[in-house]
Amino acid sequence: MAAIVVAPARELGRMLAMALDALVILGTRRFSWREAVLQAWFIARVSLVPTLLVMLGFTLLVMFQVNLLLADLGALDLSGGIAGIAAVQQIGPFVTVVVVAGAGGTAITADLGARTIREEIAAMQVLGIDPVQRLVVPRIVACVAVSLVLNVLISSGGLVGGYFFSVYLQGVTPGAYLDSIPLFTGVPELAFSIVKAFVFGLIAAVIACYRGLNVAGGSKGVGDAVNQAVVITVAVLVPVSLTISLVQFAVL
């Protein structure tokens, strides 16, 4: 029974230690910006199409359900504000990091896992090269940067998609839709959305890198690590998202 609690706690401690090392290196030592740019381009390239598809599906689903309720209440003119709440505060950051973790994070885990089982990581350590500085930090920077950019894309796309759905299918006047957005979504909400995207991207990158650097069992271990990285990321993001939302509601 004790092993069930001790083993995850030990893994969490090691993961946090790696994350702290990466943050210290990011603030005090040089790292490869070229590697960070290459990783950011790769993550953005593999995440863009899934992001657009998920954004379209969520926009249609949320706006359809919300507008039906608003129509029953006679408050369709508030559809823009509701779209702002959904897209900017909740859907944007969460969908962004789920896509980044599912597309980019799995690639990061597989890449680092393959390096680990080929003993490239051990060889780097023998040569005095810090794998966290050389490999982890650029990937964390890339994941966070892409998460912030995709968050803006999804949030903007959600508002635009909600506009076309509400105006052209539900008969909401364009002015009413646009005027209701600032009623519920202002600068503080945008700031919390950015914070969420930053924290979510950081978490996804740390988990992906940690699982990749701690692979055991050959190619099967790499596959297991990829699956575990996605599952763990989603499981961690739910309580973290809830915590940030509670802080947001308390502050605002």
Side-chain angles (χ1 to χ4, degrees):
M1 185 64 181
I4 299 178
V5 178
V6 172
R10 186 182 295 116
E11 290 290 305
L12 178 60
R14 291 173 179 171
M15 190 182 302
L16 291 177
M18 189 199 74
L20 290 176
D21 288 344
L23 292 177
V24 170
I25 291 171
L26 184 60
T28 61
R29 296 162 61 183
R30 290 184 177 181
F31 64 93
S32 176
W33 279 101
R34 181 175 182 273
E35 179 72 11
V37 172
L38 291 176
Q39 289 297 320
W41 167 243
F42 170 76
I43 295 172
R45 182 162 49 86
V46 300
S47 301
L48 183 58
V49 173
T51 297
L52 295 177
L53 294 176
V54 172
M55 176 185 68
L56 178 62
F58 266 90
T59 299
L60 294 177
L61 177 63
V62 172
M63 293 309 301
F64 178 75
Q65 295 293 335
V66 168
N67 281 3
L68 286 179
L69 177 60
L70 292 177
D72 291 338
L73 298 176
L76 267 178
D77 289 346
L78 297 178
S79 59
I82 303 302
I85 293 176
V88 176
Q89 299 185 41
Q90 302 298 334
I91 294 177
F94 195 82
V95 170
T96 293
V97 77
V98 168
V99 173
V100 169
T106 53
I108 290 175
T109 303
D111 177 39
L112 295 182
R115 293 171 184 258
T116 300
I117 64 174
R118 291 197 303 263
E119 298 186 349
E120 292 183 17
I121 304 300
M124 292 176 64
Q125 293 171 331
V126 170
L127 294 174
I129 301 174
D130 186 359
V132 176
Q133 180 181 6
R134 180 64 181 84
L135 300 174
V136 173
V137 172
R139 284 162 173 78
I140 290 178
V141 172
C143 269
V144 171
V146 172
S147 295
L148 292 173
V149 173
L150 290 183
N151 178 46
V152 174
L153 176 63
I154 292 179
S155 299
S156 302
L159 291 175
V160 173
Y163 174 87
F164 282 100
F165 187 86
S166 299
V167 172
Y168 293 104
L169 296 181
Q170 296 288 323
V172 179
T173 60
Y177 181 91
L178 297 175
D179 290 342
S180 65
I181 294 177
L183 297 178
F184 299 96
T185 303
V187 174
E189 287 77 16
L190 293 176
F192 269 98
S193 178
I194 293 173
V195 169
K196 275 188 176 182
F198 176 88
V199 173
F200 291 173
L202 178 63
I203 291 174
V206 168
I207 293 175
C209 291
Y210 178 81
R211 293 307 304 144
L213 293 178
N214 290 273
V215 168
S219 57
K220 182 180 183 302
V222 175
D224 292 340
V226 169
N227 294 331
Q228 291 169 4
V230 177
V231 173
I232 293 172
T233 299
V234 175
V236 171
L237 289 181
V238 172
V240 171
S241 177
L242 178 60
T243 301
I244 296 177
S245 296
L246 291 176
V247 172
Q248 176 182 348
F249 294 146
V251 171
L252 300 181

